[in-house]
Amino acid sequence: MCPVTKGDLRVDDLIPNHALRCIIQAWCVANHCRGVERIPTPRVPVTLAQAGEVLSLGEVEAAARAGDAARCGAAVREVGRLARESDRDRWCLASSGAASALAAAVASFAAVSDSSASSVLLNDVQASLVLVMPLDEKAIMAIGSSTASVALLANVAKHDDLQRRLQAVVIIREIVVLSSCC
């Protein structure tokens, strides 16, 4: 709520006060000897355009289509890093089609999951996919229509470490629930 107009504010309406932040940080540094810790500067939130850039323009989707596990892995890790930054970044990624792009990567690399590079990539994709849920229809089709993807998720749910198993089960549950609704 705006303190002046009492109207509703959106996150996009807020403007950071850099001068005040600098004064506070200088005070924290000056009072470090008294046990005051410096407040870290927050990261600038990702925009829809940046999220789309990471997902579409030659990154996740193009690398997955080309079968380039190294390039796709770097892009997927960037998606995961951004998704962990804040709820707003996670929303921007989800709105830009992150689930569909990541699901396409699962479908592309699931058939060749025997190589160590593909295995590491699929672990990263799975972790990032859980962060940008819920899955959209395109993502469900990409994973659900690929026998290799479903088999891979089932295998991970049975045999991998606890965190990966939980992620696989969450993805499988999402596919089953949304497939039965549509």
Side-chain angles (χ1 to χ4, degrees), residues 7 25 122 145:
Q25 288 177 342
L122 288 168
S145 64

Side-chain angles (χ1 to χ4, degrees), residues 118-128 156 160-161 164 167:
S118 291
S119 180
V120 169
L121 170 65
L122 288 168
N123 286 339
D124 291 340
V125 169
Q126 184 176 297
S128 296
V156 169
D160 225 316
D161 65 76
R164 299 287 180 233
Q167 291 168 345

Side-chain angles (χ1 to χ4, degrees), residues 21-103:
R21 182 185 305 132
C22 287
I23 292 168
I24 291 170
Q25 288 177 342
W27 182 86
C28 290
V29 170
N31 290 285
H32 181 70
C33 61
R34 295 186 179 117
V36 176
E37 292 187 30
R38 184 174 179 265
I39 299 169
T41 302
R43 292 185 179 265
V44 175
V46 70
T47 63
L48 286 171
Q50 291 168 324
E53 197 174 295
V54 170
L55 295 168
S56 299
L57 300 178
E59 297 302 323
V60 175
E61 290 178 352
R65 275 192 302 265
D68 187 346
R71 195 172 103 209
C72 189
V76 166
R77 283 187 293 281
E78 178 66 9
V79 169
R81 184 190 69 74
L82 291 171
R84 284 187 218 44
E85 288 285 324
S86 70
D87 289 338
R88 184 179 188 284
D89 289 355
R90 196 172 9 267
W91 175 84
C92 278
L93 288 165
S95 297
S96 297
S100 299
L102 294 168

